Amino acid sequence: MKTLKLMLVILVATLSASASLAQEKPAKLAKRIAPIVFNGTEYHFRWSQGGQFEFTPSGQENLDAWTDMLTIWDYRDVNDGESLAQVANRTLGRYRESNGVIVHTRSVPKTDRKPAEHFVAAVLGNQTLLEFVAARFLLQEGRGASVIYSHRIYGTRLGKQMNAWMAENGAAAEDQVMSLDARPILSSIKE
């Protein structure tokens, strides 16, 4: 019985230490990762896990109720155009599988000065929200990444609202995603 109690004490101490390390990591990253200016608004680091880094503007700290978000994916195993295209196609497939509406896709061909890039715009959602997504897939210094801007509208019967938002903001959001200089962001999140 003493052995079991000792094992439980060690397990609880280990879990507590792991939990506090998990809470400490975002705080350390937040100090190291500068805000991202996107479309004239500062987005602040909020959360990360497994190569995914999320940023929201001030006043949108609650990741269960945000309206605008930038997500940066760092694909450590992607280091060439073919594997980048596979990631973009897998993402496109997931959007379709989730009953998302694909607004459009495009690829920017490789040149002597720049690797190929891929782009997907989609509207995702469920019964309580719709989310516009503009996702850019790129190689930066030989490493794959994606820059994703998302805008959410909450409630029901949201089609007209989302269409109006997209008509007013969708093209500009796409242009901003495609022109965002990802180098400083990717450099700051590499661990």
Side-chain angles (χ1 to χ4, degrees):
M1 190 68 161
K2 287 183 181 179
T3 305
L4 181 59
K5 285 183 181 178
L6 180 60
M7 288 174 62
L8 286 173
V9 168
I10 292 170
L11 179 61
V12 168
T14 302
L15 290 174
S16 296
S18 296
S20 60
L21 282 174
Q23 291 170 354
E24 185 178 318
K25 185 180 176 187
K28 284 184 178 180
L29 282 173
K31 290 178 184 175
R32 190 179 70 189
I33 298 174
I36 300 169
V37 177
F38 179 81
N39 203 23
T41 301
E42 273 194 353
Y43 285 70
H44 303 275
F45 171 76
R46 305 294 183 205
W47 176 88
S48 72
Q49 183 175 24
Q52 179 180 3
F53 298 80
E54 294 184 344
F55 300 77
T56 61
S58 295
Q60 296 185 40
E61 290 82 4
N62 181 349
L63 295 182
D64 292 326
W66 54 270
T67 302
D68 297 287
M69 178 180 284
L70 280 174
T71 303
I72 309 299
W73 277 94
D74 181 15
Y75 304 114
R76 295 173 185 257
D77 296 334
V78 173
N79 54 22
D80 61 30
E82 185 176 325
S83 54
L84 181 69
Q86 289 172 352
V87 169
N89 284 325
R90 274 196 307 270
T91 303
L92 177 62
R94 279 196 298 272
Y95 290 169
R96 285 184 174 136
E97 289 168 7
S98 67
N99 294 318
V101 175
I102 306 304
V103 177
H104 69 270
T105 63
R106 65 179 164 194
S107 290
V108 178
K110 173 184 171 181
T111 67
D112 291 340
R113 303 180 84 213
K114 197 172 176 187
E117 293 188 5
H118 307 283
F119 178 83
V120 177
V123 176
L124 312 172
N126 58 37
Q127 294 176 341
T128 61
L129 68 87
L130 284 179
E131 180 177 336
F132 169 82
V133 178
R136 173 186 176 200
F137 301 86
L138 67 150
L139 285 172
Q140 189 70 60
E141 298 174 1
R143 191 156 160 178
S146 61
V147 176
I148 304 168
Y149 168 73
S150 302
H151 176 77
R152 279 190 177 175
I153 299 173
Y154 297 89
T156 57
R157 309 186 110 199
L158 300 169
K160 286 184 181 180
Q161 285 179 319
M162 181 55 78
N163 285 338
W165 184 90
M166 287 173 52
E168 189 172 325
N169 303 290
E174 291 179 29
D175 290 344
Q176 288 287 321
V177 166
M178 291 303 287
S179 65
L180 184 66
D181 183 4
R183 284 176 297 188
I185 302 161
L186 296 171
S187 294
S188 68
I189 64 175
K190 287 182 182 174
E191 299 175 83

